[in-house]
Amino acid sequence: MSILLPRVRGALSRTTPSRFSLSPAFPRASISTIPTNVSGLLDLKPSEAVENVKIDGYVRSVRAQKLHHFVAIGDGSSLKPLQAVVPADQAEGLTIGAAVRLDGSWVPSQGRHQSHELQVSRAAVLGPSDAKFIQTHTPILTASDCEGAGEVFHILTENERRASAADPARPFFRRQVYTTVSSQLHLEALAQALGNVWTLSPTFRAEQSDTPRHLSEFYMLEAELSFTDSQSAVMDLLENMLKRVVSDLADSKVAHELLNPFVDRSPDLAPAEQVAQRWSGLNQDKWPRITYTEAVRLLEAADMPFTHKPSWGKDLHTEHEKYIAIKVGKGYSPVFVTDYPRDIKPFYMKAGETDHGISSSRGTAECFDLLVPEFCEIAGGSMREHRLENLVESMRARGLNPTSSEDPTKNLQQPDNNLGWYLDLRRWGCPPHGGFGLGFDRLMCYLTGVQTIHDTAAFPRWYGRCDC
Amino acid sequence: MSILLPRVRGALSRTTPSRFSLSPAFPRASISTIPTNVSGLLDLKPSEAVENVKIDGYVRSVRAQKLHHFVAIGDGSSLKPLQAVVPADQAEGLTIGAAVRLDGSWVPSQGRHQSHELQVSRAAVLGPSDAKFIQTHTPILTASDCEGAGEVFHILTENERRASAADPARPFFRRQVYTTVSSQLHLEALAQALGNVWTLSPTFRAEQSDTPRHLSEFYMLEAELSFTDSQSAVMDLLENMLKRVVSDLADSKVAHELLNPFVDRSPDLAPAEQVAQRWSGLNQDKWPRITYTEAVRLLEAADMPFTHKPSWGKDLHTEHEKYIAIKVGKGYSPVFVTDYPRDIKPFYMKAGETDHGISSSRGTAECFDLLVPEFCEIAGGSMREHRLENLVESMRARGLNPTSSEDPTKNLQQPDNNLGWYLDLRRWGCPPHGGFGLGFDRLMCYLTGVQTIHDTAAFPRWYGRCDC
């Protein structure tokens, strides 16, 4: 008989007597000191059950069955997890990462992978864990220009810089390399390995924008959700995260001190009332969500002397975004604008399935921008095209080479965008997924009232300035 | 009479009666609930003393006087600190950053800066804090090539890259900009603002080295100590830090599992015995420290067929470092090699004051490399030239332009190294200081037995490889 049989049986029938009954089926051992960490307990190999064992640790994995959940517990004291067998009615909240306290008996195991296991009589969740995102570290240098907007900084060695077009130098990395404009593509790869992931990483844009809202080197907070086809879920995550930040902030004493109108405020800071209004705007119950198509209709109907005439198919300018923020958000609440035309958005965004009343030849992408009053765009996100054929088609439509070439000197007729690896992510089990990127320095400015983003960095870099 | 006078008097004479006697000089108030955080306590403004106050928090600053220490306490609940008056005999361990629990009376203050203060009867240090280093975030883009070895990656926009020498494009940043090879120069600036500082930051080297020890993008752990003129102190910090890491590691169950000779080890990992020897080598009581001059003497006396003949004034090659690691460290202990010739080291290193038996024209720098068996150099550091004249002289000797030019298009006869800001750090109160940089990925390899540094990064970049 397979040693796994009793477990299988227990899972198949509620009435089958299980070896995991709470009245111990094992003789009882008596020892003087019972270890209280995973490492110590794993070293203890009694032939009889040891009762009154207590252990604190973190849930590493869970295998849920009908009567029992098999929970791997780690506490850093050992690379090996401890197997805890938890009655199903005690298993609520035992999710990966949760901090737990377990009471039970340490008994010889019939399982193949461990000599002993903890038969749990009581499981208490001390620190719950849900929707756990894993922090990752994404690279600065990349061969893939994710936005394709040409606003990248190229990386060249001294030799390459000095070489002429007639006599080019062999590239250090054998291909053109940039400082990253976004960690998104790499986050997508990491999400396939780790599930939901995030990073807070320096990113770089060669935009010739000398404004109080632009840095050439800035921090972007990016998150990628795996196994979701709901753009609403991505927007909910962003909205809830920002609400949590601002409600914690608003509830704090620090807030009252920051916003005290009787305290002299540096002229480098926005007035306290303005900052208070931003916070309460972010705290609005439900942020309006409108489609790009609805936004364009509002702009077309507006009695406003726009410098750029609004028109479906063109990107929204700052003047348009400001109008939308006032019209839809009452100059108060943040506003999501969704489903922009595919043609003005990057290749990786998932094609929309509804046509929003527009003829289907004018397709949209499942994407969104988050606009806040005064600052306009502070974050953006999308569902990613996870279907290989659709992604190839989207790349072709933009003149991007969808064939992977290991030797970059070949296939020179079409520029190599080094996106073969990104296509490969779609080949062997790519779940639907999506995510967002948030300008972290802009958020700091917005929440604190710092007037220019240059003041958020110890050594700010922007158009024309990188002096040290 | 100045309201500060009693405090001054108390500090000047032990026998002067102080207002900070532990028997309260104030009438006693009685309130039902005493706040337990800083914010709540600051809001409480009784006219009489409130006794039995307990508060947990962190030391923000300390002003030590003869009989009492004035300690500012914060706990995140308020931007304003709470002033605690601690009897000198209770003040041990009250250093900046320490977590403390204070018992005392909340009394009206005669000080100018607060209405009330805590007269402490008992101060307990719950979490001591010494030599606290502040983490900082240093920039990736920089106009200053700190090492001057030419192994930088240049940053160019698309326009600049396409421009020809005959018709150059205006640089995006108005000057040549690189990805940083080290955060040191910026850390030095931050150290003048914040005291001791550290960073763990991506750094970049355009070395054409396709070896298992080289990455083009790697993490460097750098620390800068302020107000020290002792190179030994910098080496002690590095040695103690690494010893602490390895002793924590060696004491853990994880270590025994990692090094268990009965467990199959991946061929990608060094043998367990080798890793164990590295750890115990790092745990050696006192790591040998020899000067470069002594090292060259050993190399000259060695009966070894070196490819590169050792000679004073030339840099040590890997073959030399390996010999020193075996000869001096017995192939076991790490070895510090100090006081290299100035001419082969960067401009910012402090000139040595002793000549180590070498004629003084062959000057040395106050610097060190840390060699470990097999891997050789894993860290390096130096005292920095903090004296303006000496730094200018050192730059001139290396052909670097020591004049600051705000307009980089001027002064083109000498290349502008954009080091004016770095010289400026020496002009208005620059303390003696020094620090080190440690190759973080190399340390990971060394401690775990990972054979190639490429395996330490999710997306490794090295000579010829940056494929995604």
Side-chain angles (χ1 to χ4, degrees):
Chain A
M1 189 181 83
S2 157
I3 52 167
L4 288 176
L5 244 186
R7 207 170 285 166
V8 173
R9 238 192 309 140
L12 290 176
S13 158
R14 267 182 188 282
T15 54
T16 307
S18 157
R19 70 180 180 88
F20 304 112
S21 62
L22 294 183
S23 48
F26 299 91
R28 299 179 190 183
S30 134
I31 58 168
S32 52
T33 314
I34 303 174
T36 57
N37 68 359
V38 167
S39 154
L41 214 49
L42 289 177
D43 280 346
L44 187 68
K45 298 179 191 292
S47 54
E48 304 176 347
V50 175
E51 294 190 79
N52 296 322
V53 170
K54 285 178 195 303
I55 194 133
D56 293 345
Y58 302 90
V59 174
R60 298 279 186 244
S61 69
V62 182
R63 229 167 3 105
Q65 301 204 348
K66 207 168 200 172
L67 295 177
H68 298 92
H69 290 202
F70 297 92
V71 182
I73 301 289
D75 64 358
S77 67
S78 171
L79 292 178
K80 288 187 208 128
L82 175 152
Q83 165 148 299
V85 185
V86 183
D89 62 0
Q90 288 275 334
E92 195 183 326
L94 295 186
T95 52
I96 291 174
V100 293
R101 173 162 297 165
L102 304 177
D103 293 81
S105 307
W106 185 239
V107 303
S109 170
Q110 294 177 40
R112 196 204 310 250
H113 298 296
Q114 60 282 324
S115 72
H116 290 67
E117 64 195 13
L118 189 69
Q119 274 197 9
V120 173
S121 53
R122 210 169 69 87
V125 176
L126 306 183
S129 167
D130 65 341
K132 188 182 169 201
F133 281 73
I134 296 176
Q135 184 182 14
T136 59
H137 293 278
T138 44
I140 304 293
L141 302 185
T142 176
S144 313
D145 173 10
C146 136
E147 298 296 328
E151 285 172 342
V152 290
F153 290 111
H154 293 253
I155 290 287
L156 280 84
T157 59
E158 181 72 23
N159 273 349
E160 291 166 61
R161 199 176 67 89
R162 289 180 183 279
S164 64
D167 183 19
R170 178 186 158 85
F172 183 91
F173 288 118
R174 300 193 300 161
R175 59 187 79 215
Q176 189 50 56
V177 166
Y178 321 95
T179 50
T180 190
V181 295
S182 158
S183 302
Q184 180 203 314
L185 305 190
H186 299 94
L187 268 191
E188 286 185 63
L190 291 164
Q192 284 194 31
L194 301 169
N196 296 343
V197 288
W198 68 280
T199 190
L200 179 62
S201 180
T203 46
F204 306 83
R205 299 275 167 102
E207 274 185 88
Q208 296 188 1
S209 304
D210 184 1
T211 82
R213 301 192 306 124
H214 287 88
L215 286 172
S216 302
E217 173 176 351
F218 58 98
Y219 276 78
M220 190 130 74
L221 176 70
E222 291 174 90
E224 196 70 26
L225 285 81
S226 207
F227 285 97
T228 182
D229 52 14
S230 160
Q231 175 159 287
S232 295
V234 179
M235 289 190 280
D236 288 347
L237 176 71
L238 177 56
E239 181 172 335
N240 291 336
M241 183 192 75
L242 286 172
K243 277 180 180 163
R244 175 62 181 271
V245 168
V246 82
S247 88
D248 283 359
L249 185 58
D251 287 347
S252 72
K253 174 90 174 183
V254 169
H256 298 284
E257 292 167 350
L258 267 175
L259 302 186
N260 187 337
F262 302 107
V263 173
D264 278 344
R265 228 172 133 77
S266 154
D268 294 342
L269 293 176
E273 305 74 35
Q274 194 178 354
V275 173
Q277 184 167 325
R278 290 176 183 175
W279 295 1
S280 60
L282 285 164
N283 249 335
Q284 285 305 291
D285 188 34
K286 192 74 192 157
W287 300 350
R289 299 178 182 187
I290 66 165
T291 65
Y292 166 88
T293 302
E294 289 161 355
V296 170
R297 282 191 192 130
L298 287 173
L299 291 166
E300 284 170 342
D303 184 20
M304 289 283 289
F306 291 124
T307 310
H308 304 269
K309 189 173 180 305
S311 151
W312 203 100
K314 291 189 189 159
D315 211 350
L316 300 184
H317 284 81
T318 304
E319 58 179 344
H320 304 144
E321 294 179 343
K322 282 192 171 163
Y323 180 82
I324 296 295
I326 288 167
K327 181 79 180 172
V328 180
K330 316 292 179 205
Y332 187 57
S333 167
V335 177
F336 282 107
V337 180
T338 69
D339 304 284
Y340 285 71
R342 283 186 74 189
D343 291 349
I344 59 170
K345 288 292 180 182
F347 72 97
Y348 55 74
M349 289 186 179
K350 191 176 175 192
E353 278 162 24
T354 57
D355 66 2
H356 306 286
I358 298 291
S359 80
S360 59
S361 65
R362 302 167 75 184
T364 56
E366 285 192 36
C367 66
F368 63 86
D369 279 359
L370 177 63
L371 313 181
V372 293
E374 306 161 73
F375 266 56
C376 299
E377 187 194 340
I378 202 169
S382 76
M383 303 310 293
R384 323 306 188 185
E385 192 51 85
H386 70 287
R387 300 159 299 185
L388 181 63
E389 291 73 22
N390 301 47
L391 186 58
V392 166
E393 181 259 327
S394 170
M395 289 174 70
R396 286 226 168 87
R398 285 164 178 77
L400 297 171
N401 179 5
T403 58
S404 169
S405 70
E406 182 54 22
D407 180 352
T409 58
K410 289 185 189 162
N411 208 350
L412 283 179
Q413 283 169 313
Q414 261 192 307
D416 187 356
N417 304 97
N418 298 304
L419 291 166
W421 69 277
Y422 185 71
L423 281 165
D424 284 349
L425 295 179
R426 273 71 186 160
R427 284 183 213 279
W428 297 284
C430 185
H433 61 289
F436 66 80
L438 169 81
F440 196 74
D441 314 73
R442 278 195 190 172
L443 178 65
M444 292 300 101
C445 283
Y446 195 70
L447 293 180
T448 57
V450 169
Q451 300 275 33
T452 164
I453 202 165
H454 306 156
D455 289 349
T456 61
F459 298 95
R461 282 83 175 81
W462 72 94
Y463 181 47
R465 304 301 307 207
C466 178
D467 298 347
C468 59
Chain B
M1 187 182 84
S2 157
I3 53 168
L4 288 175
L5 244 184
R7 208 170 282 166
V8 174
R9 238 193 308 141
L12 290 176
S13 156
R14 267 181 189 282
T15 54
T16 307
S18 156
R19 70 183 180 87
F20 303 112
S21 62
L22 293 185
S23 48
F26 300 92
R28 298 176 191 186
S30 136
I31 58 169
S32 53
T33 313
I34 302 175
T36 57
N37 69 358
V38 167
S39 154
L41 214 48
L42 289 178
D43 279 347
L44 187 69
K45 297 178 191 292
S47 56
E48 304 177 347
V50 175
E51 294 190 79
N52 296 322
V53 171
K54 286 179 195 300
I55 193 133
D56 293 345
Y58 302 90
V59 175
R60 298 282 186 241
S61 69
V62 182
R63 228 164 6 103
Q65 301 204 347
K66 208 168 200 170
L67 295 177
H68 298 91
H69 290 202
F70 297 93
V71 182
I73 301 290
D75 62 359
S77 66
S78 170
L79 292 177
K80 290 186 207 127
L82 174 152
Q83 165 148 300
V85 184
V86 184
D89 62 359
Q90 288 274 334
E92 196 183 325
L94 294 187
T95 53
I96 291 174
V100 294
R101 174 164 295 168
L102 304 178
D103 293 80
S105 309
W106 186 239
V107 303
S109 170
Q110 294 177 38
R112 195 202 314 250
H113 300 294
Q114 60 283 323
S115 72
H116 289 69
E117 63 195 13
L118 188 69
Q119 275 198 8
V120 172
S121 52
R122 210 170 68 87
V125 176
L126 306 182
S129 168
D130 65 342
K132 189 186 169 200
F133 281 73
I134 296 176
Q135 185 181 13
T136 59
H137 293 278
T138 45
I140 304 292
L141 303 184
T142 176
S144 314
D145 173 10
C146 136
E147 297 296 327
E151 286 171 342
V152 290
F153 290 111
H154 293 252
I155 291 286
L156 280 84
T157 61
E158 181 72 23
N159 274 348
E160 292 167 61
R161 200 177 66 91
R162 290 180 183 279
S164 65
D167 183 19
R170 179 185 157 86
F172 184 91
F173 288 117
R174 301 192 301 162
R175 58 188 79 214
Q176 189 51 56
V177 167
Y178 322 94
T179 50
T180 190
V181 296
S182 157
S183 302
Q184 181 203 313
L185 305 191
H186 299 94
L187 269 191
E188 286 185 63
L190 291 165
Q192 283 194 31
L194 301 169
N196 296 342
V197 289
W198 68 280
T199 190
L200 179 61
S201 180
T203 45
F204 306 84
R205 299 276 167 102
E207 274 184 87
Q208 296 188 359
S209 303
D210 184 1
T211 82
R213 300 194 305 125
H214 287 87
L215 286 173
S216 302
E217 173 177 351
F218 58 98
Y219 277 78
M220 189 130 74
L221 176 71
E222 293 174 88
E224 196 70 28
L225 285 81
S226 207
F227 285 95
T228 181
D229 53 13
S230 159
Q231 174 158 287
S232 295
V234 179
M235 290 190 282
D236 288 348
L237 175 72
L238 176 58
E239 181 172 336
N240 291 336
M241 182 192 75
L242 286 171
K243 277 181 179 162
R244 175 62 180 270
V245 167
V246 83
S247 87
D248 283 359
L249 185 59
D251 286 348
S252 72
K253 175 90 174 183
V254 169
H256 297 285
E257 292 166 351
L258 268 175
L259 303 185
N260 186 338
F262 301 108
V263 173
D264 278 344
R265 227 173 135 77
S266 154
D268 293 342
L269 293 176
E273 305 74 36
Q274 194 178 355
V275 174
Q277 185 168 327
R278 290 177 183 174
W279 294 2
S280 60
L282 285 165
N283 249 335
Q284 286 304 292
D285 188 34
K286 192 75 192 158
W287 299 352
R289 299 177 182 188
I290 65 165
T291 65
Y292 165 89
T293 303
E294 290 162 353
V296 169
R297 282 192 192 129
L298 287 173
L299 291 165
E300 284 171 342
D303 185 21
M304 290 282 288
F306 292 123
T307 309
H308 304 271
K309 188 173 179 303
S311 150
W312 203 101
K314 292 189 189 159
D315 212 350
L316 301 184
H317 284 82
T318 304
E319 59 179 343
H320 304 144
E321 292 179 344
K322 284 193 170 162
Y323 179 83
I324 296 295
I326 289 167
K327 181 78 179 174
V328 180
K330 316 292 178 204
Y332 187 59
S333 167
V335 177
F336 283 106
V337 179
T338 69
D339 305 283
Y340 285 71
R342 284 186 73 189
D343 291 349
I344 58 170
K345 287 292 179 182
F347 73 96
Y348 55 73
M349 289 185 178
K350 191 176 175 193
E353 279 162 22
T354 57
D355 64 2
H356 306 286
I358 300 289
S359 82
S360 57
S361 66
R362 304 168 74 186
T364 57
E366 285 193 37
C367 66
F368 62 87
D369 279 358
L370 177 62
L371 312 181
V372 293
E374 306 161 74
F375 265 56
C376 299
E377 187 193 340
I378 202 169
S382 75
M383 304 309 293
R384 322 307 187 185
E385 191 53 83
H386 69 287
R387 299 159 299 185
L388 181 62
E389 291 72 24
N390 300 48
L391 185 58
V392 166
E393 180 261 327
S394 170
M395 289 175 70
R396 287 227 166 88
R398 284 163 178 80
L400 298 171
N401 179 4
T403 59
S404 169
S405 70
E406 182 54 23
D407 180 352
T409 58
K410 290 185 190 166
N411 209 348
L412 283 178
Q413 284 170 312
Q414 261 193 306
D416 186 357
N417 304 97
N418 298 305
L419 291 166
W421 69 277
Y422 185 71
L423 281 165
D424 284 349
L425 295 179
R426 273 69 187 163
R427 285 184 213 278
W428 297 284
C430 184
H433 62 288
F436 65 80
L438 169 80
F440 196 74
D441 313 73
R442 278 196 190 171
L443 178 66
M444 291 301 101
C445 282
Y446 195 70
L447 292 180
T448 58
V450 169
Q451 298 275 32
T452 164
I453 201 164
H454 306 157
D455 289 349
T456 60
F459 298 95
R461 282 83 175 81
W462 72 94
Y463 181 47
R465 304 303 305 207
C466 177
D467 298 347
C468 58

